[in-house]
Amino acid sequence: MALDTQTGHGHAVVIGSSLAGLTAARALANFMDRVTVVERDWVPSGPGRRRGVPQARHTHTLTAAAQQGLEELFPGIGADLTGSGAVRVRMPEDMLLLGPGGWLPRTGPDLPGLSVLSAGRDLIDAAVRDRLRADPKVAFLPEHEAVGLEPGRNDTVIGVWVRARDRKAPGGPSGRRLIPADFVVDAAGHGSHAPQWLAELGYTPPKETASTSPTAVATALYAPTIGHVADWKSLLLLPSPDHPATGMLHPVEGGRWSVSVSTGDTGHAPADHTALLHAARTLRHPLLHDVLEAATPLGPVYSCTPTGNRWRHYEKLRRWPDQFLVVGDAYVALDPAHGQGMTVAVECALVLDQLLTGHGTAIGLGYRLRRAIAHRLAPLWRASVLGLRAARGSQDTATGPRARLGARYAARIAAAATADPAARRLLLDLLHARAAPAAA
């Protein structure tokens, strides 16, 4: 189908240009006639930072699942990313990985052939955004915030109310205006107002499941010491039951290292390089500290306020406005320390793409979309809430016997991964969002 062909499916609006919004726009552009991406902040050309991505400065990797999904949505995007400087890291061949039970072997016939793509979040977003900008079906509306939904007849949404955010204009932001739409996607992340908007239209807001996390994360960029030679590209020091802190070093564009340390306790994240170096010294192994001591800091240390995990159970609502969908962090938000946020975004877009294509229309699809997204994201939720907390020896008293069994099972996998090839594969699959604790 040519890009300029009118399919009769109309106009879609995406709220937010995060990775969830960008990938949702791609899925919609495969089906709808036009797509408008509404973004409350400035939208950069090339790798630039948006204010709406508070975690952008922290270490980001695309898991195997996220890479595969992005390739389905944007064929050749992996080559675009590596061509722009993203670094492919094979796990565990290129990575020194200290699991809860010890160091994982890096050689052998049983290696799973998994890899991550490591890059700055700005670079990843820019590569996807450039693909969309090349599509004449897609338009961006920057510096506008969505302030409400326009209801239609018979439980539908037929548009989005927006307001310009020009702070320099006399009198502040402009008045509201309506953007008519045949389908609306909320990808506004943690700042989503979907529960409030639903309540304003007479719908019941969703119930939430929350799992608080004491994890605080600090990140900084470093230049390797001159002449640095090693047989590894990346370091990952996972927590153990008696040592809750995590440390990671990943290569990013420009020959730099992105280093993140999460405290795993109620303490504050390191605020400067001296504190970050001290935090690295307290990890389970001194390797990351020793490497950083010889490296050159590039810029300040950035900290991340812990957010925990939150699931808004839209899939359980009986009454729902058709032609409206919530995706990404606005639906299921995972603690950024677990590194699955981009995978959540991509998985939501894949569900949207597949069901739109299979259904043949955007009308009457709301219930199936919500249920399918919940089913697709459930393993990621379990991996984050159970698997990684089990590795820290943390127990969630609010969960039932099934969840506790899953946590113990994940802990056993992590402990056995150093010697058991099957357990090692399961642990790596867990880190790549390809599996979750089987009993969870």
Side-chain angles (χ1 to χ4, degrees):
M1 182 178 67
L3 287 176
D4 60 350
T5 298
Q6 294 294 303
T7 64
H9 297 305
H11 175 223
V13 172
V14 177
I15 302 168
S17 67
S18 63
L19 191 64
L22 297 175
T23 52
R26 172 71 276 156
L28 289 165
N30 290 339
F31 186 80
M32 308 294 287
D33 296 325
R34 294 184 300 117
V35 179
T36 300
V37 181
V38 178
E39 169 54 44
R40 69 187 299 273
D41 296 313
W42 169 70
V43 178
S45 296
R49 183 146 298 133
R50 290 191 308 107
R51 294 181 60 192
V53 189
Q55 317 299 343
R57 298 183 186 275
H58 297 281
T59 303
H60 283 78
T61 58
L62 285 166
T63 65
Q67 291 176 64
Q68 181 180 348
L70 279 179
E71 282 292 334
E72 291 184 35
L73 295 166
F74 302 93
I77 192 71
D80 291 352
L81 287 166
T82 54
S84 298
V87 182
R88 187 170 299 281
V89 178
R90 298 173 300 168
M91 289 180 66
E93 296 96 318
D94 297 331
M95 176 182 289
L96 293 179
L97 199 164
L98 181 62
W103 294 100
L104 266 63
R106 298 168 57 200
T107 60
D110 60 306
L111 297 180
L114 299 175
S115 67
V116 298
L117 268 183
S118 180
R121 178 61 186 270
D122 297 339
L123 180 77
I124 296 171
D125 283 358
V128 176
R129 199 165 48 235
D130 288 347
R131 286 293 193 95
L132 286 176
R133 279 183 162 143
D135 189 336
K137 283 187 175 184
V138 180
F140 286 83
L141 181 63
E143 297 184 286
H144 281 71
E145 61 181 338
V147 294
L149 302 173
E150 176 65 14
R153 298 177 59 187
N154 302 320
D155 284 333
T156 58
V157 166
I158 58 173
V160 179
W161 288 94
V162 301
R163 180 174 58 201
R165 302 186 72 248
D166 185 0
R167 297 182 179 86
K168 298 179 181 179
S174 66
R176 303 193 320 163
R177 68 182 178 94
L178 178 66
I179 302 179
D182 301 285
F183 198 89
V184 176
V185 172
D186 181 354
H190 286 275
S192 168
H193 294 292
Q196 173 189 335
W197 294 342
L198 289 171
E200 290 172 352
L201 299 181
Y203 296 93
T204 302
K207 293 182 178 180
E208 294 188 7
T209 298
S211 174
T212 58
S213 171
T215 302
V217 183
T219 300
L221 290 173
Y222 288 83
T225 183
I226 297 175
H228 170 79
V229 177
D231 64 348
W232 49 265
K233 294 181 181 178
S234 180
L235 302 177
L236 178 57
L237 309 180
L238 293 176
S240 66
D242 58 348
H243 224 111
T246 302
M248 65 183 71
L249 178 155
H250 287 301
V252 295
E253 62 274 15
R256 300 168 298 169
W257 286 336
S258 179
V259 176
S260 290
V261 175
S262 60
T263 60
D265 55 31
T266 56
H268 296 290
D272 54 38
H273 286 282
T274 300
L276 183 62
L277 199 61
H278 173 75
R281 186 184 294 115
T282 66
L283 295 172
R284 294 172 56 209
H285 194 280
L287 178 59
L288 181 59
H289 168 269
D290 295 345
V291 169
L292 294 184
E293 199 170 34
T296 302
L298 301 174
V301 173
Y302 297 97
S303 61
C304 166
T305 302
T307 57
N309 300 289
R310 187 209 65 222
W311 184 313
R312 288 177 171 161
H313 292 284
Y314 291 112
E315 75 283 359
K316 294 184 179 181
L317 296 179
R318 287 179 170 271
R319 183 167 171 257
W320 180 266
D322 195 28
Q323 294 154 253
F324 175 61
L325 182 66
V326 180
V327 299
D329 286 352
Y331 198 139
V332 175
L334 302 181
D335 192 305
H338 302 164
Q340 303 289 12
M342 292 191 292
T343 308
V344 167
V346 173
E347 294 293 344
C348 289
L350 290 174
V351 169
L352 179 60
D353 185 48
Q354 292 160 6
L355 288 190
L356 282 175
T357 302
H359 193 65
T361 175
I363 299 172
L365 198 55
Y367 178 75
R368 288 181 59 195
L369 277 169
R370 287 180 286 126
R371 295 291 293 181
I373 286 176
H375 179 74
R376 186 74 71 94
L377 298 186
L380 299 178
W381 174 267
R382 293 195 295 265
S384 179
V385 173
L386 299 177
L388 294 178
R389 291 189 67 183
R392 294 201 302 262
S394 174
Q395 296 297 326
D396 188 349
T397 58
T399 59
R402 182 182 177 88
R404 289 194 294 270
L405 180 60
R408 288 196 295 270
Y409 177 66
R412 291 181 61 186
I413 290 173
T418 57
D420 186 333
R424 180 161 56 252
R425 178 179 289 272
L426 282 172
L427 176 61
L428 292 172
D429 281 345
L430 188 65
L431 293 172
H432 278 263
R434 288 158 53 102

